[in-house]
Amino acid sequence: RAFERHGTRTAARRDYKDFIAANRHWLIPYAAFCTLRDEFGTADFSRWGDYARYDKKAVEAYCRRNSREIAFHCFVQYHLHTQLSEVCAYARSRGVVLKGDLPIGVSRTSADAWIHPRLFHMDSQAGAPPDAFSASGQNWGFPTYDWEHMAQDGYAWWQARMAKMAEYFDAFRIDHILGFFRIWEIPVHAVHGLLGYFNPALPYSADELRGMGFDTAGGRFTVPAPDDRMLGELFGELADEVRTTCMKEGRLLPAYATQRKVAERFPGDDPRRSRLREGLMTLLDDVLFIEDPRRKGFFHPRIAAQSTYMYRTLDPQRRDTFDRLHDDFFYRRHNRFWQESALRKLPVLLSATEMLTCGEDLGMIPDSVPETMHALQILSLEIQRMPKSLGEVFADPARYPYFSVCTTSTHDMNPLRAWWEENRELSERFYREVLGMEGDAPRTCEPWICRRIVDMHLRSPAMLAILPLQDWLATDAALRSPHADRERINIPAAPRYYWRYRMHLTLEELLRQEPFNATLREMIIAGGRR
């Protein structure tokens, strides 16, 4: 309605024309993407017929024929730009710094993937190896970057992305900074992250593996080879059905040979279908090595393969050999190689702006990552529940490095109150070892506990302490949410979680809470963060 009423008048304004001129290189193709998406009823551009592949001349002609729709999307972007610019100017005038976010991935059905397909490996998916949050790893579904192609024009796509962010922000977080060293790449036919591998990497050649006692000829160690005992463990009374329907001569039939095919064959929550689907997915995970899709005859050890049935069937000597090559591959073999990979990309990106740079450096961290981040003046992320020192259960905020951002919780984990109730044994240990208390820990994370934890972070040496609203409110019995289990923002292993957290108080209500705001002010001053 605003466009219908004001669109023509807005288009005549000098600042609108300046915005269009400065952003035309991305704005017009993006507006065409939005118009085609609405016309075809899907963002999956592979279903757009003649427009499935981006062609500049064809798109320009399409824009001329659909000028009204294109103008609408430009109008929307212009107002988003002016509104965010006003917010940033107001914040800076009040001494408030806005910190932006640089997600590591882009959707495979995005305008970027449509316009610049050669910048991405569309036959793969980005994700993360298994961790405490997801035993089967994480599959984010994003295509991975073709860094070699990006390097040909000096990473222009990244530089443009950074320059646009710098219009609004003074600091930014690089999501999953490890992705600039190496990304966890998962074949497009897989569902679980367990079938992924690092890219770039230095996989073992078939000859190397043969010399270590692993002859991969004929798919040995790289293709699931279940016996009757394994089928019984996975499928129980359904084992015979799997053997006769899904297999031939000890191998899965082509119709069941990938996790995507299995998911399509057995959809829904019916108990029988679920048992078959999950069992077949686990069966497909049961390999020791994964062949590199771009270098035939070279193999990556499957991460955490010690949990596979195939590993259990190895003799003790070969188990020891696999353990050594697995540990060498994931923790030593690539250290300098990945550092060199990051140093080809990150300096170019960082030089594009003057924003303060923070990196989310969680997960399997090679030794070269902290030294590279320090050399490039990138702040690390420190989380008490995710210590970086071997053998620690909880990190000590008093020992955080200065060049860091510390936080009580991230968007990918439970805030303090829900975390306290996640694992009774862990909260008991925290109560005794970190808080120094005796006796049984309270069943819930009481306000005084939350305040103690917040205080630790405010008093830490970290340059920045950035805490979630939920954990600030948790320090006040009257203001905290009635439902701790509704405070979580995201579950990274569940891509359809939809970031469902909503504040239970309005900003106006918070502004009126004078005792609470006074307490926060006192805590911040006491922590030396005035």
Side-chain angles (χ1 to χ4, degrees), residues 383-433:
I383 301 174
Q384 195 170 26
R385 285 177 261 161
M386 296 183 71
K388 294 175 179 175
S389 298
L390 200 63
E392 278 190 338
V393 179
F394 304 106
D396 180 1
R399 293 193 287 116
Y400 287 161
Y402 173 70
F403 291 107
S404 69
V405 178
C406 74
T407 186
T408 48
S409 314
T410 77
H411 57 282
D412 283 337
M413 60 174 60
N414 261 327
L416 289 175
R417 294 167 62 207
W419 167 75
W420 189 267
E421 298 172 29
E422 252 179 12
N423 184 323
R424 182 67 182 168
E425 181 182 347
L426 209 55
S427 51
E428 287 277 5
R429 286 194 66 176
F430 188 92
Y431 187 71
R432 289 190 297 273
E433 297 172 18

Side-chain angles (χ1 to χ4, degrees), residues 189-207:
H189 60 70
V191 173
H192 291 168
L194 286 170
L195 292 176
Y197 42 81
F198 285 125
N199 181 20
L202 301 168
Y204 297 110
S205 70
D207 288 341

Side-chain angles (χ1 to χ4, degrees), residues 104-141:
I104 186 60
V106 300
S107 170
R108 65 179 58 250
T109 56
S110 65
D112 286 290
W114 178 56
I115 299 163
H116 308 289
R118 295 181 65 193
L119 299 182
F120 309 96
H121 292 303
M122 300 298 286
D123 60 349
S124 65
Q125 310 165 95
D131 57 23
F133 300 105
S134 177
S136 62
Q138 297 174 30
N139 184 344
W140 304 326

Side-chain angles (χ1 to χ4, degrees), residues 467-487:
L467 315 183
L469 176 72
Q470 301 94 305
D471 291 346
W472 282 112
L473 296 178
T475 64
D476 189 296
L479 294 183
R480 51 172 39 193
S481 169
H483 307 286
D485 58 344
R486 296 182 187 173
E487 292 188 327

Side-chain angles (χ1 to χ4, degrees), residues 4-23:
E4 290 298 330
R5 182 177 299 177
H6 305 292
T8 303
R9 191 183 331 147
T10 301
R13 291 173 50 161
R14 170 50 55 191
D15 62 338
Y16 179 84
K17 292 177 180 178
D18 290 344
F19 172 76
I20 299 295
N23 295 278

Side-chain angles (χ1 to χ4, degrees), residues 82-101:
T82 55
Q83 290 170 14
L84 186 53
S85 297
E86 288 171 12
V87 168
C88 294
Y90 175 77
R92 286 168 182 156
S93 75
R94 304 297 294 245
V96 174
V97 169
L98 296 188
K99 177 166 166 270
D101 198 65

Side-chain angles (χ1 to χ4, degrees), residues 162-183:
M162 300 291 289
K164 175 53 67 176
M165 287 187 70
E167 292 182 22
Y168 313 111
F169 307 118
D170 296 298
F172 75 105
R173 181 194 80 128
I174 300 178
D175 171 44
H176 192 62
I177 195 171
L178 296 178
F180 290 89
F181 291 76
R182 80 294 186 271
I183 197 71

